[in-house]
Amino acid sequence: MTQNANTAALSAAGVSVWLDDLSRDRIQSGNLAELIETRSVVGVTTNPTIFQGALSKGHAYDGQLKELAAQGADADAAIRTITTDDVRSACDVFAGVFEASNGVDGRVSIEVDPRFAFDADKTIAQAIDLWKTVDRPNLFIKIPATEAGLPAITRVIAEGISVNVTLIFSVARYRAVMGAYLDGLRSAKTAGHDLGKIHSVASFFVSRVDTEIDKRLEAIGSDEALALRGQAGIANARLAYAEYQDVFDGGKHTSTYNHLAAAGANRQRPLWASTGVKNPDYSDVMYVTELVAPNTVNTLPEKTLEAVADHAEIRGDTVSGTAAAAQEVFDKLSAAGVDLDDVFQVLEREGVDKFEKSWAELISATTEELSAAAGNN
């Protein structure tokens, strides 16, 4: 098998290509391994919506559900067992990538229960528990970047655990996330952890920003407002990358990281999430081709991954040096009447709500499956 030219070009430009999906069928069929060989995929992200979809399709989990029902497991325990088993298996599929990249890639993410998004102590406790349960060095624990999530990120990093910070929408919150990571590294160093083994990515959501802001621009309805549709998500991510460079890549605030890097610390890479295009009027690969930059990750739904493989034009770095133009977009959005602070607050709350809804659906469906399985024993 040979690598697709477009995904290989994306990888060569410094973007780690991750798949935003996981299921037992994908693992057992060999599809996940095939994507490593043919689509340059070097990691996987999961979330409650992905697991809800996986468990609702097919029969890959029937046997395990019968076993769990026989053991008297409730829905929460069953979901924990099933999802951690899948993530552990996926980690094993990526073990070679993990070793070849010196731990940078080959990563698989699992999220803490979204019901804990506003409870730091419960988030920390479950993050530690998930890390021990999956028991693989190439695991990422996903923690949402809520205000309660920030101290949890610091505490979990301090335990020597690698973290994928998720649900980041604003540049201001992203700055706080980078600070939480660096604080965690300092504590980890004091505790005697090997900083070289701690990795992190910061998942900055893209398409949802356009969806929310486009809706507001259309409500405003002026020519100036309508002309700004489809620009906010990419501009926001480009501003975030400038902040990343400032903290981790030679900017004026890099001294803190450099001090930790001397002790073996790794930079926290930006990860572009929510990169499936929601508006059919836009290019289906715009959140890939317009966000190419060194030391980034782009996690793609399979539909977007295949679109990239089919027709994306990878033009090299399309992010570095674009901060001034991106800021102009945001200045125009404010001038048009878009309340950006409110946009980001709404997106964070909706992001948590969507995952909570998926989790509730997952619990309900699993309860039914366990009941049916118990009746069949």
Side-chain angles (χ1 to χ4, degrees):
M1 291 186 283
T2 58
Q3 293 289 0
N4 173 269
N6 292 343
T7 56
L10 188 60
S11 178
V15 180
S16 292
V17 181
W18 290 8
L19 177 70
D20 192 29
D21 191 55
L22 186 65
S23 67
R24 190 159 296 178
D25 279 335
R26 192 183 288 283
I27 296 167
Q28 294 179 341
S29 68
N31 172 261
L32 190 58
E34 183 180 342
L35 292 175
I36 296 172
E37 297 295 328
T38 65
R39 295 292 184 265
S40 301
V41 169
V42 292
V44 158
T45 49
T46 68
N47 60 47
T49 303
I50 285 170
F51 280 128
Q52 191 273 333
L55 268 74
S56 68
K57 299 172 186 173
H59 302 284
Y61 301 96
D62 290 357
Q64 188 172 25
L65 282 165
K66 287 184 178 180
E67 292 177 5
L68 290 165
Q71 296 165 12
D74 62 12
D76 279 300
I79 291 166
R80 172 192 164 82
T81 298
I82 289 167
T83 57
T84 55
D85 282 357
D86 277 3
V87 167
R88 187 182 305 108
S89 296
C91 283
D92 291 343
V93 173
F94 280 101
V97 174
F98 177 72
E99 293 173 7
S101 66
N102 196 29
V104 173
D105 283 311
R107 297 276 175 172
V108 183
S109 297
I110 188 169
E111 190 151 349
V112 295
D113 189 325
R115 293 172 295 184
F116 301 159
F118 301 102
D119 189 320
D121 290 339
K122 287 183 178 179
T123 294
I124 293 161
Q126 191 178 63
I128 294 170
D129 190 49
L130 286 169
W131 180 259
K132 291 177 179 178
T133 300
V134 175
D135 192 26
R136 293 294 185 271
N138 51 332
L139 178 69
F140 266 141
I141 304 297
K142 288 180 77 174
I143 297 175
T146 58
E147 288 188 10
L150 295 172
I153 292 159
T154 296
R155 291 268 302 279
V156 173
I157 291 288
E159 294 290 331
I161 295 171
S162 294
V163 172
N164 175 344
V165 183
T166 188
L167 290 178
I168 307 171
F169 296 99
S170 73
V171 172
R173 183 57 55 84
Y174 177 46
R175 289 192 201 103
V177 165
M178 290 188 287
Y181 173 61
L182 293 172
D183 287 345
L185 288 178
R186 279 190 286 265
S187 295
K189 182 175 181 287
T190 300
H193 291 291
D194 181 352
L195 298 190
K197 293 182 179 179
I198 304 171
H199 287 257
S200 183
V201 292
S203 295
F204 204 84
F205 280 52
V206 186
S207 68
R208 293 188 194 181
V209 173
D210 274 334
T211 299
E212 180 64 26
I213 289 182
D214 281 3
K215 179 174 65 177
R216 298 184 185 214
L217 291 169
E218 287 164 5
I220 294 167
S222 67
D223 290 344
E224 293 81 5
L226 296 176
L228 291 167
R229 288 177 295 181
Q231 297 184 44
I234 290 168
N236 199 36
R238 287 173 170 174
L239 288 171
Y241 190 75
E243 293 294 327
Y244 156 78
Q245 290 180 305
D246 181 52
V247 173
F248 291 106
D249 198 22
K252 63 182 179 181
H253 293 113
T254 307
S255 58
T256 299
Y257 167 66
N258 285 343
H259 178 72
L260 292 163
N266 299 291
R267 61 183 71 198
Q268 183 187 53
R269 293 185 295 167
L271 180 153
W272 312 130
S274 181
T275 53
V277 176
K278 308 294 193 295
N279 188 330
D281 293 336
Y282 302 156
S283 164
D284 58 356
V285 295
M286 64 185 275
Y287 299 127
V288 180
T289 60
E290 301 306 314
L291 293 175
V292 176
N295 297 307
T296 59
V297 181
N298 199 315
T299 187
L300 309 173
E302 186 170 30
K303 181 180 178 181
T304 305
L305 177 65
E306 290 307 313
V308 170
D310 180 66
H311 55 262
E313 180 184 352
I314 307 303
R315 311 186 309 277
D317 188 342
T318 53
V319 178
S320 298
T322 62
Q327 185 58 53
E328 285 183 14
V329 171
F330 271 73
D331 291 343
K332 290 177 181 177
L333 288 168
S334 294
V338 176
D339 184 342
L340 294 167
D341 288 339
D342 184 66
V343 165
F344 297 131
Q345 290 173 9
V346 167
L347 287 170
E348 180 179 291
R349 181 65 254 181
E350 284 185 350
V352 174
D353 286 347
K354 286 177 182 177
F355 286 163
E356 286 182 339
K357 180 180 177 183
S358 294
W359 199 260
E361 291 172 353
L362 181 57
I363 289 173
S364 177
T366 304
T367 298
E368 293 178 9
E369 293 283 353
L370 288 168
S371 177
N376 292 333
N377 286 338

